[in-house]
Amino acid sequence: MALSSGSHSVHAPASFFPPPPPSTPDWLGELDRWLLAEGQHRRPWLKLGAHPTTLGGVDGTAFAVWAPHARVVALMGDFNGWQAHAMRLHPQCGVWELFVPGAATGQWYQFEILGADGQRVLKTDPYARETELPPKFAARISPSLDRSASHTSTDTATAATPSGGAPLQPPLATSSHQRQWTAPVANGAAPMAIYEVHAGSWRRPWGPHTTATWDDLTHHLVPYVAEMGFTHIELMPVAEHPFYGSWGYQPTGLFAPTARHGGSEGFRRLVDAVHAAGLKLIIDWVPAHFPSDGHALARFDGTALYEYADPREGFHRDWHTLIYNWARPEVRNFLVGNALFWIEHYGVDGLRVDAVASMLYRDYSRPDGEWVANQYGGRENLEAIAFLRELNDVLNTEAPHALTIAEESTAFPRVTGPTRDGGLGFTHKWNMGWMHDTLAYFAQDPINRRWHHDQLTFGLTYAHTERFVLPLSHDEVVHGKGSLLAKMPGDRWQQLANLRALLAWMYGHPGKKLLFMGIELAQPTEWAHDGELPWHLLSDPAHAGVQRLVRDLNHLYRQHPALSARDNEPGGFAWHVVDDAAQSVFAFGRHSHHPADAVLVVANLTPVVRHGYRIGVPTGSGHWHELLNTDSVHYGGSNVGNPGGAPAEAVATHGFAQSVVLTLPPLAVLWLQAKNY
């Protein structure tokens, strides 16, 4: 019978070749076999997969794959003419191995498995570090790998120059503020401004039908993000995935950067360049589910090996994918090892863990009668909870500086709490409640906002219960939701003013910041993954003004410690005006540990200019000047404001002994700081 193997068509023989002679040295040592059987091998990628090595004085490649219920596992590839070559089973751990003399880096291979169900299938190596360009799916032997070769240096970068000439950088508007790097603050209080990127559609430098390579992103994305003042790049999932339209959220090759952007060394150069630019890199990571494609993990050895067997536990109704069986130690080991691999081997700085809410609850998106309760009759997935704690404990031990950020949309308690105290152990959590309430408020016509005042104030009642990231992510500009600009009410001037106010409100609010690419352009249309961002918009001063605002927000945010140093402490925030719903005016102070650092954030979210508006300020704060005014003509506004600032007066209001009198521009946010105390 003929079987497809990516770019190859092979004919399976009537019987497998005999195994190698018993004298062939084992690739897996006794300790490896025990650790793999227990699901406790901290770095399973060092033994499973394909590894060029020397055994018994012979150069070749050792292959190993976990398939405990398979009747036979055979190896085929360029090195044996794509004829099935039987592997040897270690029953203790269910791993099949084979050393092939002469097999070398760059050659392609696959596993042919005669499963427990009697079906013979071709499978891609789950530990492959490079695969063919989808829809092909053979794996490639990558260079030898050991801990000493792990990516630990972040102070230099080497990058290949792309062929064909360098395209122009995305244009940048001139900034109104001097830009400088502020040294990170200890104890997790450093500013964090994340630029979320889909690698395939940020920019297509060689034309609309091409895709940027990792090296293209090295040369163009990295300097752009650095110039814009962000501190982190977050890439939507980079692991190999068969369907481009899944944006990487349905991965099949968890150890392989997708071949759509070139080889794995190109991805390594990108990471190096990110670090050389003083930035950090986060990648989206998907341990919640995987696609059912036959070449990948689904029924890998003829049984439900990686997934739950019962579809009430193992089939995801929303995405028609399969759910990992977190109760199985080997599956947890596979996933935890993969998380550590990206951090240790490539040097990425953190993982944003996708779809955590779907992992935590057994009844997630399931009606009554179509889910299985836990052992106590509850809806929580205790195995997933244990897995997430194990994940964060391992990373905290092995890579203590790595970020783990949970996309978790429920009120599950202590997502960022220490595991020793019953928390999940994440460093941060997306604040989905803040995002939902804030966008709902800004979508209201200003005349109605007085009735929705609490949508902007409620988030402060829980803002310090977790270490939050405030996300304006890709999820808000897809699937018919329109762009962020399109959500804003009014004519185009008011839409742009509302968007500018929203951005300054977010940057002033407690919590780390995340913006999806294109928001800084005031993109009027929904994001499309098969195109590129509308960079031509920057020829319009109004759109260039929004980009300029985002850049200035980033740099001011990094320069003023009051905006980040006490994000997680109630003492870092104080309301000054919280009850003026009739005029839709808000004012709050942000504080570091030094009174002189305080920043006053004032929002007037109606199109009416408010003259003579008095706001209480701390005693002895002196003269207050504008750090930022989103209505500045520099950003496309009407230039109403307080160019000379305002002196503190001995007039008590809002619970303060002193106050300032301000002109509040329309649909705008001001940031002010006292020049002297």
Side-chain angles (χ1 to χ4, degrees), residues 216-566:
D216 291 331
L217 296 172
T218 293
H219 287 280
H220 305 293
L221 172 67
V222 173
Y224 174 79
V225 174
E227 172 66 15
M228 284 293 293
F230 291 95
T231 63
H232 292 67
I233 298 173
E234 179 177 323
L235 292 177
M236 291 163 66
V238 301
E240 194 59 85
H241 49 284
F243 177 46
Y244 179 70
S246 76
W247 315 326
Y249 289 104
Q250 295 186 15
T252 52
L254 269 67
F255 287 82
T258 176
R260 291 175 176 87
H261 306 297
S264 61
E265 288 306 305
F267 181 74
R268 184 186 292 275
R269 288 190 291 270
L270 173 61
V271 177
D272 284 345
V274 168
H275 292 152
L279 304 169
K280 293 185 182 298
L281 181 66
I282 300 164
I283 62 171
D284 282 10
W285 185 64
V286 189
H289 62 125
F290 59 92
S292 59
D293 296 60
H295 72 276
L297 298 180
R299 295 189 63 81
F300 190 80
D301 63 356
T303 70
L305 186 64
Y306 285 89
E307 66 269 35
Y308 285 107
D310 188 331
R312 295 175 299 169
E313 300 176 284
F315 180 73
H316 205 297
R317 296 165 56 92
D318 288 350
W319 302 308
H320 298 278
T321 51
L322 301 177
I323 299 171
Y324 285 104
N325 182 356
W326 301 293
R328 186 154 195 162
E330 301 96 331
V331 174
R332 294 198 306 272
N333 197 196
F334 170 73
L335 292 169
V336 173
N338 181 249
L340 184 58
F341 168 82
W342 287 101
I343 293 166
E344 192 167 271
H345 177 61
Y346 283 113
V348 305
D349 301 287
L351 307 173
R352 178 272 203 180
V353 183
D354 183 61
V356 170
S358 75
M359 302 171 65
L360 294 175
Y361 300 101
R362 288 176 163 269
D363 63 346
Y364 184 90
S365 197
R366 295 181 187 273
D368 289 344
E370 296 189 23
W371 58 279
V372 179
N374 64 34
Q375 65 192 79
Y376 302 108
R379 56 194 288 258
E380 297 81 9
N381 191 319
L382 303 180
E383 295 90 358
I385 292 169
F387 159 70
L388 292 170
R389 288 173 175 158
E390 179 183 353
L391 165 73
N392 286 310
D393 281 342
V394 168
L395 294 183
N396 188 52
T397 299
E398 299 293 332
H401 300 295
L403 300 170
T404 55
I405 304 171
E407 186 212 14
E408 204 287 304
S409 56
T410 76
F412 192 91
R414 310 204 62 175
V415 172
T416 58
T419 59
R420 64 178 179 273
D421 297 330
L424 295 184
F426 285 92
T427 63
H428 297 83
K429 171 184 172 175
W430 274 19
N431 193 337
M432 309 294 279
W434 172 89
M435 176 276 299
H436 179 272
D437 289 347
T438 301
L439 291 184
Y441 178 91
F442 274 88
Q444 295 291 331
D445 188 295
I447 200 170
N448 297 321
R449 286 176 175 170
R450 65 177 64 193
W451 312 114
H452 299 270
H453 200 73
D454 63 336
Q455 288 182 313
L456 289 195
T457 61
F458 177 67
L460 273 304
T461 65
Y462 62 87
H464 306 104
T465 60
E466 303 274 10
R467 292 187 295 275
F468 282 120
V469 172
L470 308 181
L472 294 177
S473 75
H474 71 276
D475 283 329
E476 310 319 312
V477 294
V478 292
H479 299 319
K481 296 179 183 177
S483 70
L484 219 57
L485 180 67
K487 297 179 196 299
M488 303 294 111
D491 58 23
R492 183 48 57 94
W493 190 94
Q494 291 194 32
Q495 285 184 311
L496 287 161
N498 273 298
L499 178 60
R500 295 193 302 267
L502 166 63
L503 292 168
W505 175 267
M506 179 183 81
Y507 272 79
H509 194 285
K512 308 310 180 186
K513 325 300 177 188
L514 180 143
L515 288 182
F516 182 55
M517 64 181 200
I519 290 175
E520 81 276 19
L521 309 181
Q523 184 170 346
T525 56
E526 195 170 84
W527 168 55
H529 65 264
D530 53 358
E532 71 169 359
L533 296 185
W535 296 103
H536 66 277
L537 290 173
L538 294 178
S539 62
D540 182 335
H543 291 270
V546 175
Q547 186 199 49
R548 190 180 294 117
L549 172 65
V550 170
R551 183 168 54 176
D552 287 352
L553 285 169
N554 278 328
H555 288 287
L556 287 169
Y557 168 63
R558 289 163 55 173
Q559 290 166 15
H560 293 276
L563 296 170
S564 62
R566 300 179 71 186

Side-chain angles (χ1 to χ4, degrees), residues 103-114:
T105 298
Q107 293 183 316
W108 299 97
Y109 70 98
Q110 282 184 291
F111 299 118
E112 185 176 9
I113 297 179
L114 179 62

